[in-house]
Amino acid sequence: MGRSGKLPSGVSAKLKRWKKGHSSDSNPVICRHRQAARSRFFSRPSGKSDLTVDAVKLHNELQSGSLRLGKSEAPETAMEEEEVTPAFTEKSSGTFLSGLSDCTNVTFSKVQRFWESNSAAHKEICAVLAAVTEVIRSQGGKESETEYFAALMTTMEAVESAESLAAVAYLLNLVLKRVPSPVLIKKFSDTSKAFMDIMSAQAISGSTSALRWVLSCLATLLRKQSLEAWSFPVTMQVYHGLLSFTVHTKPKIRKAAQHGVCSILKGSEFMFGEKAPAHHPAAISAAKFCIQEIEKSGGSKEATTMLHMLTLLKDLLPCFPEGLVKSCSETLLRVMTLNHVLVTACAMQAFHSLFHAKPSVRTLPAELNAQIITALYDYVPSENDLQPLLAWLKVMEKAHINLVRLHRDLGLGHLPRFFGTATTCLLSPHLPVVTAATQCLQEILKGCVAPHMADIGSVTSSASGPSQYIAKMFRAVEEGLTYRFHAAWSSVLQLLCVFFEACGRQAHPVMKKCLQSLCDLRLSPHFPHTAALDRAVGAAVASMGPEVVLEAVPLEIDGSEETLDLPRSWLLPVIRDHVQETRLGFFTAYFLPLATTLKRKAMDLAQAGSTVESKIYDTLQWQIWTLLPGFCTRPTDVAAAFKGLARTLGTAISERPDLRVTVCQALRTLITKGCEAEADRAEVSRFAKNFLPILFNLYGQPAAAGDTPAPRRAVLETIKTYLTITEPQLVNGFLEKASEKVLDPSSSDFTRLSVLDLVVALAPHADEAAISKLYSTIRPYLESKAHGIQKKAYRVLEEVCASPQGPGARFVQSHLDDLKKTLLDSLRSTSSPAKRPRLKCLIHIVKKLSAEHEEFISALVPEVILCTKEVSVGARKNAFALLVEMGHAFLRFGPNQEEALQRYLVLIYPGLVGAVTMVSCSILALTHLLFEFKGLMGTSTVEQLLENVCLLLASRTRDVVKSALGFIKVAVVVMDVVHLAKHVQLVMGAIGKLSDDMRRHFRIKLRNLFTKFIRKFGFELVKKLLPEEYHKVLVNIRKAESRAKKQRALHQAAMEEEEEKEEEPVQGKGDSIEEILADSEDEEDEEEERSRGKEQRRLARQRSRAWLKEGGGDEPLNFLDPKVSQRVLATQPGPGRGKKKDHGFKVSADGRLIIREEEDANTKTEEEEGAKGEDEEMADLMEDVGVKSQKHQKLKQKEADDEELEMPPQYQAGGSGIHRPVAKKTIPGAEYKAKKAKGDVKKKGRLDPYAYIPLNRTKLNRRKKMKLQGQFKGLVRAAQRGSHVGHRLRRKDRRP
């Protein structure tokens, strides 16, 4: 064996090697295989071909017999063979290629998937179907379900082999479901006899391959029979035959029989008719059979038959009549006494299915339901028996819910006992049991108790009937607050929360003691469930109201506290978060006086200098005021209580800045959520004349320095909300006074702006006369040079024009000509901030214009086009919206849509030959109009626009080119492919002539555009039309598209089973113009992802490589060695792969260390010195201008440190004898010792001097203890002496 990597002698001369850099090129000399392959595609083969006419004919026959498999549903039941035989039967071999694939009956579409199966049973099914189809066709049949039924029944009587019988039975099982019912009713006798004979024969013989399908056929046959047929003995005899197989030993047969019985009792056709009986006539037989079988096998240990019957009962029990349900329930309870785990579990499942089905009274009366509940208490599992206990709780939950549904009082009467038992389960050490018990009680409270509380009424401890039951249930849950339930307190608090929500409004008399217990519990130290307890108390506040809660647990805060403990202060945040739908008068009577008292107390404490106590009381009174918005949420006594609260609120708004935001929020909440009744609305509206002036004055006051603008915004929002319920006469008066204030020359700019804000809020609610006066007032300000005033004036006009009906709309119609003239005259003087409201005004006015006002719209077009490039985003949006609205106006003007749009576009075309900005804006306007009216513009118009925009691509201005590319992008999306194809050459030519600067600047936009063209017209066409410098980008796009297509295909294949709807082959942008014209940030992200993907693929290729570790020395690698697999490495062996370690020495090219002497190491090359000099020079220069280099500072500091530290001698003594160290030991801290004075000195850049004794294990020696203590004492004495000297010197210096 030669050395690895070497070729035998003489071989290298025979090889043809590639030149460097051409290893991936194909060999131009030896290419016979390529020529052979190419000849097959582009020319006829030179040799004799094996393709003959007979071979083609055979191929066509095979193809016609093959199946066209589509996306068919999987069959409900597949044909499983019991014995696979390698050979076909005599019949199947004769009819295997005909009559199957062209079967026109959709019933057998499921059989098609068996065609390619290797199973003999499956191929037998295909053969039988093919034979039957051929027979039906030969007799002129139409391949209907009835014909297949008759043919298959005849075939079933004729077949002899078990495989063919199973195949016929399977096909019959499919077709019987679609055969008309009258046919099956008429042929019931013959069909059932044939099925019964097969059942008998199969039961006797060992082969049962056809039995499960015959049972399914029999069930379908019985399900199709009429109600009268069940009165015949033969029908019941057939049914009993089916019933007997429900205890068969083979699972598939048993399941088929059980499924058939269930389908008969639940799904017979006459059970869904108008005269449907309450129960199926066969239900009695099924119930008696089940009871009989259970009792027959009751004593056996295996209990297999019993388990089968219990499984059947789980499905059938809700279908039985009352008497049989009672008998079955007694039987289930009896078998549960056997203490067989599986039997008990199956019985519980049967009961659960009975209650979960919610049967009618004729199946399960309330008395029987209650008796079963009572009986189940004798079967409560042990608390350590986890699964049975969980099942028992679930069954009892469903039983009680069903009992309350049937009979409310009887059901509620049984709940206290269950609550007591379930509460005991909370003591279980198993968390699943505690969780299940909690969920059961919560479901019962929500489903059984809460819906009936309004009918039950007030619940007291002395009441009787349902009220007494509710009280007992609550006491059972309340007991969970005792200490023995401390491990389950979180669950108990959840139950109390649900109980308060369900019954708090009616049952609060029995819940007050529990509230006290909760408050005491919260005060206990280290209570871990504070949040859950707060939620429970919050639920009580929401349902009972704060008045009841505070009656049970008072706040205990009145301002006269001796200590600041305040144990109940936590109630205030809880009430704030949950109070609603309560009496507003309670806040006036209880909380307002308390807040006043606490505020007075805080002020007194502040004057006395007790800042902390004052802050506490001030916070408490503020928390009380924060309750007001909750009290204003749907209060019950607005008409009666607001009168007593209004004056206080007005005072708080005007005099208490700290409460202003809270009170304004309360007023807004009261108006929006508390004035649903007309009387409440009128009462609050009555005080508008008092509140609005206060709010106006507050808004007109300038904010203090450092204050946030939030209070002013809150005041303005409150004004707008209050005006919605204010009388128009009052609004007119306010508007008149505001107009006078605006015209007052003594008013400051801030006042005028504030008043104009108020006018904007008042204008929509004034009448037509007041609006006319207002218009006269603000018209001069539309041309004001003060930008803020002008903007506010346009905002007033916008609010007036925006009214869809009422006084504002009437004013616009009556003053339309004046408004048009005013808006046109003020065009030149409009400032940039006022453009947004001005355009909004024009939008509202254009909506109301008719055909005679077309000249006005024409005059507006240039302004609107220029506004598409405004700085303000709002102005740009309004400009585009106005362009679209003007287009709709032209469509209204007529006479036809295409001509109207053409007239409109003619107004925009002149902008394409104006200034650069106008050209760019015009293209943008045309782009949006093209998208908005894409279905209404004529084809010639769009093509003409595209040609003109392509000419503009030659512009030298980036803004114009950017707009033109955006237009082309929209045109590609909007235009039809046929019409767009005419202009592809023009567009590509214009893009190809872009300058290098433009191409670089818009590379992302161009890439996106090329992608769209490639998707529409193909890669080759686009490549042919573009210059060569674009080809690299196009190739990259094609690769990216190919990758994306593969990923979409993989994703679609993965999601095909879950989603029926196929995804689009190419996921396009959204339908909005903003999404189409959005800057290509997504493309930039995709480009970054592609670059990251390349790097990841490179790393993946590196990781996927494998290396072989060669043998040591000259030993070759033996591939026959059993341990050769250990030499396959995932990382490249040898040096140079990892990061090189710095050993402090330089390394030569051949790997040798270069060790310099001390002098050599200190000497530097001229280049290094020169470089350092440049760095220092630059650092000095930066320091001269005030910028210090941190790197240079660190270098200087390091050099200073090196100068301070003395270099140790090169030779270090060690050992014994003459080599022992004779130098003095270095003393810690010696570097701080002063050279010319006593004590230590501080050194720059170093830590302060310190004294310590180094740790040394020899110090642990008891003999050296005294020496160590002496060192400590010496240190302390020295420190004291130095301190004393220092104090003396300082005193000496202070003397005059």
Side-chain angles (χ1 to χ4, degrees):
M1 183 182 289
R3 186 178 177 183
S4 177
K6 299 290 184 179
L7 292 170
S9 176
V11 175
S12 59
K14 301 178 182 178
L15 296 177
K16 293 182 176 63
R17 297 186 177 275
W18 290 284
K19 295 181 181 180
K20 187 175 182 181
H22 294 270
S23 59
S24 61
D25 295 348
S26 61
N27 194 331
V29 179
I30 304 174
C31 54
R32 61 179 183 273
H33 300 292
R34 295 172 185 264
Q35 291 175 354
R38 190 180 296 115
S39 67
R40 296 175 186 172
F41 288 98
F42 301 104
S43 62
R44 288 184 173 274
S46 57
K48 183 179 180 182
S49 175
D50 294 332
L51 187 63
T52 61
V53 176
D54 295 335
V56 173
K57 184 177 180 181
L58 178 60
H59 173 74
N60 291 337
E61 289 178 357
L62 291 174
Q63 289 297 317
S64 64
S66 64
L67 295 174
R68 301 174 181 87
L69 294 176
K71 290 184 180 178
S72 60
E73 298 179 2
E76 298 175 0
T77 56
M79 177 67 185
E80 290 91 356
E81 70 282 6
E82 295 185 358
E83 295 179 0
V84 181
T85 56
F88 300 122
T89 62
E90 186 175 341
K91 179 176 290 187
S92 66
S93 62
T95 61
F96 207 64
L97 291 177
S98 59
L100 175 60
S101 63
D102 53 350
C103 176
T104 58
N105 198 306
V106 296
T107 305
F108 304 105
S109 60
K110 299 175 183 180
V111 182
Q112 291 181 351
R113 78 181 187 94
F114 295 155
W115 176 258
E116 296 178 352
S117 174
N118 293 324
S119 169
H122 291 174
K123 292 189 178 295
E124 188 69 27
I125 293 174
C126 298
V128 171
L129 178 59
V132 170
T133 304
E134 288 298 320
V135 170
I136 293 174
R137 288 175 180 172
S138 64
Q139 296 180 359
K142 298 179 180 179
E143 298 186 43
S144 64
E145 287 83 0
T146 306
E147 293 172 342
Y148 274 104
F149 166 63
L152 287 171
M153 288 300 297
T154 305
T155 307
M156 188 175 65
E157 295 175 357
V159 295
E160 297 178 355
S161 65
E163 293 79 6
S164 299
L165 181 61
V168 174
Y170 175 75
L171 294 173
L172 269 173
N173 170 52
L174 293 178
V175 77
L176 272 176
K177 298 172 183 177
R178 294 178 175 267
V179 175
S181 300
V183 175
L184 295 181
I185 292 174
K186 185 175 182 180
K187 294 292 183 180
F188 175 72
S189 179
D190 298 336
T191 308
S192 61
K193 184 177 183 304
F195 287 152
M196 291 295 288
D197 292 343
I198 294 174
M199 287 167 55
S200 303
Q202 290 276 318
I204 296 172
S205 65
S207 176
T208 56
S209 57
L211 187 54
R212 57 178 299 202
W213 306 117
V214 173
L215 290 173
S216 181
C217 293
L218 198 59
T220 305
L221 182 64
L222 290 171
R223 197 169 66 242
K224 297 277 188 176
Q225 299 306 305
S226 62
L227 180 60
E228 293 77 13
W230 285 94
S231 59
F232 303 142
V234 63
T235 309
M236 296 302 297
Q237 182 181 0
V238 174
Y239 175 71
H240 288 153
L242 176 63
L243 202 57
S244 63
F245 282 92
T246 56
V247 291
H248 199 274
T249 55
K250 291 192 175 182
K252 291 181 180 179
I253 296 175
R254 182 177 64 252
K255 289 180 180 178
Q258 291 184 356
H259 183 269
V261 171
C262 293
S263 65
I264 291 170
L265 296 186
K266 293 181 178 180
S268 293
E269 291 185 351
F270 61 82
M271 295 293 293
F272 302 98
E274 295 179 358
K275 298 180 180 180
H279 305 284
H280 198 282
I284 300 174
S285 301
K288 292 181 178 178
F289 176 81
C290 292
I291 295 172
Q292 181 181 354
E293 291 294 329
I294 290 174
E295 291 178 348
K296 187 188 302 182
S297 59
S300 61
K301 292 183 179 180
E302 295 297 330
T304 306
T305 304
M306 184 187 298
L307 292 175
H308 297 163
M309 284 297 97
L310 291 176
T311 304
L312 181 60
L313 269 181
K314 181 179 69 174
D315 297 324
L316 296 184
L317 201 54
C319 304
F320 294 161
E322 175 187 347
L324 292 173
V325 170
K326 184 176 182 180
S327 302
C328 291
S329 301
E330 293 172 352
T331 305
L332 290 175
L333 292 172
R334 279 200 302 272
V335 300
M336 288 173 65
T337 59
L338 298 174
N339 293 327
H340 192 287
V341 177
L342 291 178
V343 170
T344 304
C346 290
M348 282 294 182
Q349 288 180 355
F351 279 126
H352 183 272
S353 65
L354 173 64
F355 297 126
H356 184 70
K358 297 180 179 178
S360 63
V361 180
R362 290 174 291 185
T363 296
L364 183 65
E367 292 77 11
L368 180 58
N369 193 334
Q371 291 172 4
I372 296 174
I373 289 175
T374 305
L376 285 174
Y377 280 108
D378 298 333
Y379 301 92
V380 181
S382 170
E383 64 177 13
N384 295 321
D385 206 358
L386 186 59
Q387 293 301 329
L389 185 55
L390 295 177
W392 185 87
L393 287 171
K394 200 65 181 175
V395 170
M396 293 296 279
E397 174 196 335
K398 296 296 181 183
H400 284 89
I401 292 176
N402 190 63
L403 180 57
V404 173
R405 180 183 66 87
L406 296 174
H407 196 287
R408 188 197 71 183
D409 293 347
L410 183 60
L412 292 176
H414 279 76
L415 285 178
R417 184 179 179 184
F418 178 65
F419 266 69
T421 307
T423 306
T424 308
C425 293
L426 298 179
L427 296 171
S428 173
H430 302 290
L431 182 60
V433 174
V434 177
T435 305
T438 307
Q439 291 176 351
C440 284
L441 295 181
Q442 287 177 344
E443 291 298 323
I444 288 176
L445 285 172
K446 294 176 182 178
C448 300
V449 179
H452 302 290
M453 283 307 298
D455 300 332
I456 292 174
S458 180
V459 177
T460 60
S461 57
S462 60
S464 60
S467 299
Q468 184 182 8
Y469 305 146
I470 300 296
K472 289 181 178 179
M473 291 158 55
F474 185 76
R475 280 196 292 270
V477 177
E478 187 181 9
E479 189 183 355
L481 293 177
T482 56
Y483 187 73
R484 69 191 186 107
F485 288 90
H486 72 280
W489 271 347
S490 61
S491 300
V492 174
L493 290 172
Q494 292 177 23
L495 284 174
L496 286 173
C497 183
V498 177
F499 224 125
F500 288 146
E501 291 175 352
C503 316
R505 192 176 297 275
Q506 292 84 10
H508 61 81
V510 299
M511 296 179 174
K512 292 181 178 179
K513 183 181 177 183
C514 179
L515 288 173
Q516 296 172 0
S517 302
L518 289 175
C519 292
D520 296 339
L521 197 60
R522 197 183 191 280
L523 295 177
S524 58
H526 308 295
F527 182 67
H529 308 294
T530 304
L533 192 147
D534 288 350
R535 283 195 295 270
V537 177
V541 171
S543 59
M544 304 178 195
E547 190 172 359
V548 176
V549 173
L550 291 176
E551 182 182 348
V553 282
L555 274 177
E556 298 180 357
I557 300 173
D558 56 4
S560 61
E561 295 81 12
E562 297 180 359
T563 62
L564 293 177
D565 191 14
L566 306 176
R568 299 278 176 84
S569 60
W570 60 271
L571 280 172
L572 291 175
V574 173
I575 295 174
R576 177 198 63 203
D577 295 338
H578 296 88
V579 62
Q580 60 180 350
E581 298 184 27
T582 186
R583 286 198 317 114
L584 189 59
F586 178 68
F587 183 86
T588 307
Y590 181 82
F591 283 108
L592 272 185
L594 180 59
T596 305
T597 303
L598 295 178
K599 181 62 176 177
R600 191 181 305 114
K601 178 78 171 179
M603 295 172 64
D604 294 342
L605 289 171
Q607 291 177 358
S610 302
T611 308
V612 176
E613 292 82 353
S614 172
K615 189 66 177 176
I616 290 174
Y617 279 106
D618 194 46
T619 304
L620 283 174
Q621 66 88 24
W622 176 79
Q623 285 183 332
I624 290 174
W625 275 102
T626 57
L627 306 180
L628 183 57
F631 276 90
C632 291
T633 304
R634 294 184 293 277
T636 58
D637 59 343
V638 176
F642 188 70
K643 177 174 55 178
L645 184 63
R647 181 184 293 274
T648 308
L649 295 182
T651 306
I653 291 175
S654 57
E655 299 179 1
R656 298 283 302 277
D658 57 325
L659 302 178
R660 193 166 292 158
V661 175
T662 302
V663 177
C664 287
Q665 179 189 355
L667 279 175
R668 294 196 302 271
T669 305
L670 183 65
I671 294 169
T672 56
K673 298 181 180 179
C675 294
E676 297 177 356
E678 190 61 35
D680 299 341
R681 188 184 181 89
E683 178 66 17
V684 179
S685 174
R686 191 165 64 89
F687 289 91
K689 63 181 183 295
N690 306 106
F691 280 105
L692 287 176
I694 297 173
L695 295 171
F696 289 159
N697 292 333
L698 286 176
Y699 190 76
Q701 296 174 1
D707 289 350
T708 61
R712 292 192 80 238
R713 287 200 297 266
V715 169
L716 185 60
E717 288 300 319
T718 308
I719 291 171
K720 292 179 180 179
T721 306
Y722 220 128
L723 286 172
T724 59
I725 61 171
T726 307
E727 295 293 331
Q729 294 82 5
L730 190 61
V731 175
N732 295 337
F734 287 137
L735 193 57
E736 186 176 353
K737 292 181 181 178
S739 302
E740 295 174 359
K741 197 76 171 177
V742 171
L743 296 174
D744 188 0
S746 62
S747 299
S748 63
D749 289 342
F750 176 81
T751 303
R752 191 170 283 110
L753 289 173
S754 301
V755 174
L756 284 173
D757 281 336
L758 299 177
V759 170
V760 171
L762 288 165
H765 307 283
D767 59 16
E768 188 174 353
I771 293 175
S772 300
K773 293 181 182 178
L774 176 63
Y775 175 65
S776 303
T777 303
I778 66 164
R779 183 162 52 182
Y781 293 105
L782 295 177
E783 300 181 10
S784 173
K785 294 183 179 180
H787 295 172
I789 300 292
Q790 188 185 56
K791 179 180 178 181
K792 298 293 183 185
Y794 274 110
R795 281 284 295 118
V796 174
L797 194 60
E798 176 191 345
E799 290 295 330
V800 173
C801 296
S803 302
Q805 55 188 1
R810 293 194 294 271
F811 168 78
V812 173
Q813 288 295 338
S814 59
H815 294 73
L816 192 57
D817 294 334
D818 193 11
L819 285 171
K820 286 165 42 184
K821 184 176 182 304
T822 302
L823 290 172
L824 288 177
D825 293 343
S826 61
L827 171 60
R828 296 183 179 275
S829 60
T830 305
S831 62
S832 181
K835 290 290 179 67
R836 190 192 66 79
R838 172 183 169 83
L839 292 170
K840 200 72 175 175
C841 284
L842 291 172
I843 290 173
H844 296 307
I845 290 175
V846 169
K847 287 181 179 178
K848 301 171 183 178
L849 294 180
S850 54
E852 60 268 15
H853 302 285
E854 184 174 334
E855 186 179 352
F856 172 68
I857 297 178
S858 303
L860 293 176
V861 169
E863 177 197 3
V864 181
I865 291 176
L866 284 174
C867 286
T868 58
K869 285 280 188 178
E870 273 292 331
V871 178
S872 169
V873 178
R876 294 199 298 269
K877 287 183 178 179
N878 289 344
F880 287 123
L882 181 54
L883 279 171
V884 174
E885 194 57 48
M886 291 161 73
H888 287 300
F890 271 91
L891 291 178
R892 289 199 308 269
F893 299 162
N896 60 67
Q897 293 182 341
E898 188 171 348
E899 183 181 345
L901 275 179
Q902 189 62 36
R903 287 204 320 275
Y904 180 38
L905 293 176
V906 166
L907 301 176
I908 303 176
Y909 288 156
L912 297 177
V913 293
V916 171
T917 305
M918 191 65 182
V919 172
S920 176
C921 294
S922 300
I923 297 174
L924 277 179
L926 290 172
T927 303
H928 279 259
L929 292 175
L930 172 63
F931 181 82
E932 188 68 28
F933 301 104
K934 49 181 174 287
L936 303 177
M937 281 190 185
T939 305
S940 58
T941 304
V942 178
E943 293 177 352
Q944 182 183 1
L945 283 174
L946 186 60
E947 292 173 0
N948 291 330
V949 170
C950 288
L951 294 176
L952 292 173
L953 277 177
S955 173
R956 297 180 179 180
T957 310
R958 287 180 177 178
D959 212 10
V960 176
V961 175
K962 180 180 178 181
S963 301
L965 290 175
F967 182 90
I968 295 173
K969 192 175 182 182
V970 174
V972 172
V973 176
V974 169
M975 288 182 67
D976 185 44
V977 180
V978 177
H979 298 111
L980 183 62
K982 303 176 184 176
H983 305 277
V984 174
Q985 186 173 0
L986 175 66
V987 175
M988 293 293 107
I991 293 176
K993 294 177 182 178
L994 288 175
S995 63
D996 293 342
D997 177 64
M998 292 291 183
R999 191 170 70 247
R1000 282 193 302 270
H1001 186 73
F1002 297 112
R1003 60 187 181 278
I1004 303 299
K1005 289 184 176 294
L1006 290 173
R1007 181 189 179 89
N1008 188 20
L1009 205 56
F1010 292 155
T1011 303
K1012 294 182 181 298
F1013 273 102
I1014 288 173
R1015 289 173 182 172
K1016 284 182 178 290
F1017 302 106
F1019 173 79
E1020 295 298 335
L1021 177 63
V1022 177
K1023 183 179 179 182
K1024 187 191 305 182
L1025 296 176
L1026 284 173
E1028 188 175 355
E1029 55 263 24
Y1030 289 95
H1031 290 179
K1032 189 174 181 180
V1033 178
L1034 296 178
V1035 172
N1036 186 269
I1037 292 173
R1038 182 172 64 175
K1039 291 180 180 179
E1041 287 291 298
S1042 177
R1043 284 195 301 269
K1045 187 176 181 181
K1046 290 178 182 178
Q1047 291 176 357
R1048 283 194 298 270
L1050 292 174
H1051 179 71
Q1052 183 176 354
M1055 300 297 292
E1056 193 172 9
E1057 297 180 359
E1058 299 178 8
E1059 298 179 2
E1060 296 179 358
K1061 186 178 180 180
E1062 294 184 0
E1063 296 181 359
E1064 294 293 330
V1066 177
Q1067 185 178 359
K1069 292 281 185 181
D1071 292 336
S1072 67
I1073 183 67
E1074 288 80 8
E1075 292 175 344
I1076 293 179
L1077 283 178
D1079 289 335
S1080 305
E1081 297 175 356
D1082 296 340
E1083 284 80 1
E1084 294 176 2
D1085 295 341
E1086 290 175 5
E1087 200 171 64
E1088 293 177 3
E1089 289 178 4
R1090 281 193 291 271
S1091 62
R1092 285 198 300 268
K1094 289 180 180 178
E1095 183 66 21
Q1096 290 174 359
R1097 286 193 296 275
R1098 185 182 65 79
L1099 294 175
R1101 284 196 298 270
Q1102 284 186 354
R1103 287 194 294 267
S1104 63
R1105 291 176 183 171
W1107 286 267
L1108 286 176
K1109 184 179 180 182
E1110 303 218 0
D1114 294 335
E1115 180 186 356
L1117 179 60
N1118 183 8
F1119 285 98
L1120 299 179
D1121 188 357
K1123 296 183 179 180
V1124 72
S1125 60
Q1126 297 177 2
R1127 293 183 175 273
V1128 180
L1129 307 178
T1131 56
Q1132 184 176 355
R1137 291 293 300 166
K1139 186 178 179 181
K1140 295 182 180 179
K1141 294 183 179 180
D1142 185 8
H1143 299 283
F1145 301 103
K1146 293 184 178 180
V1147 184
S1148 64
D1150 56 355
R1152 293 179 295 172
L1153 293 176
I1154 301 175
I1155 303 175
R1156 297 177 181 269
E1157 294 295 332
E1158 188 69 24
E1159 296 177 358
D1160 296 339
N1162 291 332
T1163 58
K1164 295 183 177 65
T1165 62
E1166 294 181 1
E1167 294 178 359
E1168 291 174 344
E1169 288 180 353
K1172 183 179 178 183
E1174 291 176 2
D1175 291 342
E1176 289 180 351
E1177 187 177 349
M1178 179 59 68
D1180 294 338
L1181 182 62
M1182 296 301 291
E1183 284 184 11
D1184 291 341
V1185 297
V1187 180
K1188 296 183 178 180
S1189 171
Q1190 293 182 358
K1191 183 177 180 181
H1192 187 56
Q1193 288 178 356
K1194 290 180 180 179
L1195 274 173
K1196 281 191 172 182
Q1197 185 66 42
K1198 185 177 181 182
E1199 290 175 2
D1201 295 344
D1202 293 341
E1203 290 175 1
E1204 291 175 4
L1205 295 176
E1206 296 181 0
M1207 293 295 294
Q1210 295 182 3
Y1211 171 76
Q1212 295 291 334
S1216 60
I1218 63 173
H1219 300 290
R1220 69 185 186 277
V1222 295
K1224 290 184 179 180
K1225 294 182 179 179
T1226 56
I1227 302 173
E1231 62 269 24
Y1232 293 98
K1233 187 173 179 61
K1235 297 179 180 178
K1236 297 181 181 180
K1238 293 182 179 180
D1240 297 331
V1241 294
K1242 292 185 178 182
K1243 292 200 173 184
K1244 186 178 180 180
R1246 302 296 300 270
L1247 298 173
D1248 287 345
Y1250 57 91
Y1252 72 99
I1253 297 176
L1255 293 176
N1256 192 346
R1257 62 187 183 90
T1258 60
K1259 306 294 185 183
L1260 300 176
N1261 194 329
R1262 286 181 294 178
R1263 292 184 290 109
K1264 298 180 181 181
K1265 182 177 180 182
M1266 295 306 295
K1267 182 179 179 181
L1268 185 62
Q1269 289 179 352
Q1271 288 181 351
F1272 272 114
K1273 289 179 182 178
L1275 282 174
V1276 174
R1277 278 197 300 268
Q1280 290 174 346
R1281 188 166 53 248
S1283 177
H1284 181 66
V1285 172
H1287 280 296
R1288 189 171 58 208
L1289 291 174
R1290 279 196 295 273
R1291 283 198 303 268
K1292 185 177 180 180
D1293 293 339
R1294 292 183 192 134
R1295 292 174 185 172

